Amino acid sequence: MTHLPYDPYNRNCPTRKLLDRIGDRWTVLIVGALGEGPQRFGEIARRVDGVSQKMLTQTLRGLERDGLVRRTVFAEMPPRVEYALTPVGQTLREPLRALEDWAREYMADIEGARDVYDDAAVNVA
Amino acid sequence: MTHLPYDPYNRNCPTRKLLDRIGDRWTVLIVGALGEGPQRFGEIARRVDGVSQKMLTQTLRGLERDGLVRRTVFAEMPPRVEYALTPVGQTLREPLRALEDWAREYMADIEGARDVYDDAAVNVA
DNA sequence: CAGTATCCAAAATGATACTG
DNA sequence: CAGTATCATTTTGGATACTG
């Protein structure tokens, strides 16, 4: 029995880890927002529709921890904190953009298929 | 005040919907597995390390509903059911592969940064 | 402004037992 | 084999109140 070329399906493979990393509701959106340039906490909060303060803080901390985002605190009053993608963080933009492009091209099809499927189910019920 | 070129951050934008669609623990992995060819339920279950029967069924049903996967039941005994990506499902492979490539290239960096960050935190504590 | 601390609700996932 | 049904649990996320 030969083994697979590689095993993205085994736990602890890189893909799996990435999924754990970006597979939450906010990470991808926040990286996307920061892709347009460094921004302050409040700006990101306003831009990413629906994030709570808690989730924004938590997600940014996680990204900082992983070296994808740099956090700069200016010793001013009132406080100013700026977030920016690091060079590694920048590299994430491209694959995420590919996903975004896919979404723009196909999500309507998906929703169409979904409606058809649900209608069929209703007819059966 | 000009508006943004497009708003992937607003609820109900395509990107947001895609994230809702694939942003769970199993969808991406299962699509990846099916990318290697049509497979039976049990094969997928064995290949995707850690999926429970329940989650596999649930995820496959969702993908079928959205027109990304086709489910074929053979009237045999014991039952045989084959899952395959639809043409639209196939198109998802490319952006997902981009993400996979990124993971293979950068996840080690991420984990390194994470260790550094955590060590620093410990020293402070 | 940019957080932190708590508490709580809801959603996602897992374990287990059973079936055509 | 390929599911379904149910229950328990683990995560996640949101609301709210408070602070340097």
Side-chain angles (χ1 to χ4, degrees), chain B residues 80-91:
Chain B
R80 184 161 69 93
V81 180
E82 193 177 86
Y83 292 90
L85 293 180
T86 61
V88 174
Q90 293 284 352
T91 66

Side-chain angles (χ1 to χ4, degrees), chain A residues 19-85:
Chain A
L19 256 24
D20 285 345
R21 184 63 200 79
I22 68 172
D24 57 71
R25 206 177 304 308
W26 303 112
T27 295
V28 168
L29 265 5
I30 291 171
V31 170
L34 288 175
E36 292 170 31
Q39 280 160 78
R40 302 181 57 174
F41 185 90
E43 294 179 90
I44 306 171
R46 277 186 297 280
R47 179 174 313 222
V48 181
D49 187 27
V51 235
S52 65
Q53 208 170 24
K54 170 184 164 183
M55 290 315 297
L56 182 53
T57 300
Q58 187 174 304
T59 305
L60 286 168
R61 287 283 180 287
L63 288 167
E64 190 196 0
R65 175 178 180 239
D66 288 357
L68 295 169
V69 159
R70 178 175 35 79
R71 176 172 181 266
T72 309
V73 182
F74 296 89
E76 304 174 356
M77 197 57 183
R80 184 159 70 93
V81 182
E82 193 178 85
Y83 292 89
L85 294 181

Side-chain angles (χ1 to χ4, degrees), chain B residues 84-114:
Chain B
L85 293 180
T86 61
V88 174
Q90 293 284 352
T91 66
L92 230 194
R93 296 182 65 196
E94 191 177 312
L96 292 185
R97 188 157 32 228
L99 227 39
E100 233 175 78
D101 290 344
W102 190 93
R104 266 201 283 283
E105 187 160 356
Y106 291 105
M107 276 314 290
D109 292 353
I110 302 284
E111 298 193 304
R114 198 175 285 182

Side-chain angles (χ1 to χ4, degrees), chain B residues 37-48:
Chain B
Q39 280 160 76
R40 301 182 59 173
F41 186 90
E43 294 179 90
I44 307 172
R46 276 186 298 278
R47 180 174 311 222
V48 179

Side-chain angles (χ1 to χ4, degrees), chain B residues 45-89:
Chain B
R46 276 186 298 278
R47 180 174 311 222
V48 179
D49 186 27
V51 235
S52 64
Q53 209 169 23
K54 171 184 162 182
M55 290 314 299
L56 183 52
T57 300
Q58 187 173 305
T59 305
L60 285 168
R61 286 283 180 286
L63 287 166
E64 190 196 0
R65 174 179 180 238
D66 288 357
L68 295 170
V69 161
R70 178 176 33 81
R71 177 174 182 265
T72 310
V73 182
F74 296 89
E76 304 173 357
M77 197 56 183
R80 184 161 69 93
V81 180
E82 193 177 86
Y83 292 90
L85 293 180
T86 61
V88 174

